[in-house]
């Protein structure tokens, strides 16, 4: 069992301590990577509406990377594409989507990921 976890690891100061963050590597607090990733599904809903679905199941994410930090107050937009739709058990389909979270003023994206969702009638 890993016993090295501390409060510092759980609540990383770069995300939460506005007094300490200016002395850190990014000069201010940055958004947590998982928070950025969580924006994907609701933002995708603004790009494409999926209809005729009885229930949807977020199956997971693949290939998640965070090439650039997101300073608090930054503007982020989602570029997304459906890269595959395949049949799954119980009469459903799996939709695979490529997400790229573009960060205004940055040459690198904030996050790239592949989202997997199962849809059932």
């Amino acid at each position: 069992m890993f016993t090295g976890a501390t409060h510092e690891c759980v609540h990383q100061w770069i995300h939460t301590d506005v007094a300490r963050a200016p002395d850190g590597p990014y000069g201010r607090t940055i958004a947590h990577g998982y928070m950025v990733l969580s924006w994907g599904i609701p933002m995708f809903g603004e790009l494409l509406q999926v209809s005729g679905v009885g229930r949807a199941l977020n199956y997971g994410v693949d290939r998640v990377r965070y090439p650039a930090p997101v300073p608090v107050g930054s503007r982020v937009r989602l570029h997304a594409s459906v890269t595959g739709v395949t049949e799954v058990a119980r009469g459903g389909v799996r939709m695979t989507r490529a997400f790229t979270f573009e960060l205004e003023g940055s040459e690198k994206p904030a996050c790239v990921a592949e989202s997997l969702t199962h849809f059932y009638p």
Side-chain angles (χ1 to χ4, degrees):
M1 174 180 212
F2 177 70
T3 59
T6 66
H7 181 76
E8 183 73 14
C9 290
V10 175
H11 299 286
Q12 183 54 257
W13 62 269
I14 196 69
H15 304 301
T16 60
D17 192 333
V18 294
R20 184 176 175 190
D23 296 327
Y26 307 110
R28 59 181 165 166
T29 52
I30 61 170
H32 195 286
Y34 285 118
M35 184 174 83
V36 174
L37 182 61
S38 76
W39 299 336
I41 299 301
M43 291 173 85
F44 184 79
E46 294 180 20
L47 299 173
L48 177 69
Q49 295 294 316
V50 178
S51 60
V53 173
R55 69 183 169 102
L57 169 68
N58 288 322
Y59 188 68
V61 289
D62 286 341
R63 300 183 184 114
V64 179
R65 301 291 183 268
Y66 302 100
V70 178
V72 170
S74 297
R75 292 170 41 112
V76 176
R77 69 178 170 189
L78 176 67
H79 287 269
S81 60
V82 175
T83 58
V85 177
T86 57
E87 291 183 9
V88 294
R90 299 188 185 123
V93 296
R94 175 184 302 143
M95 179 187 289
T96 303
R97 296 168 284 196
F99 287 168
T100 300
F101 295 87
E102 192 174 86
L103 180 61
E104 186 175 62
S106 175
E107 291 183 18
K108 295 181 180 179
C111 176
V112 292
E114 189 175 79
S115 170
L116 308 171
T117 304
H118 287 190
F119 295 98
Y120 299 92

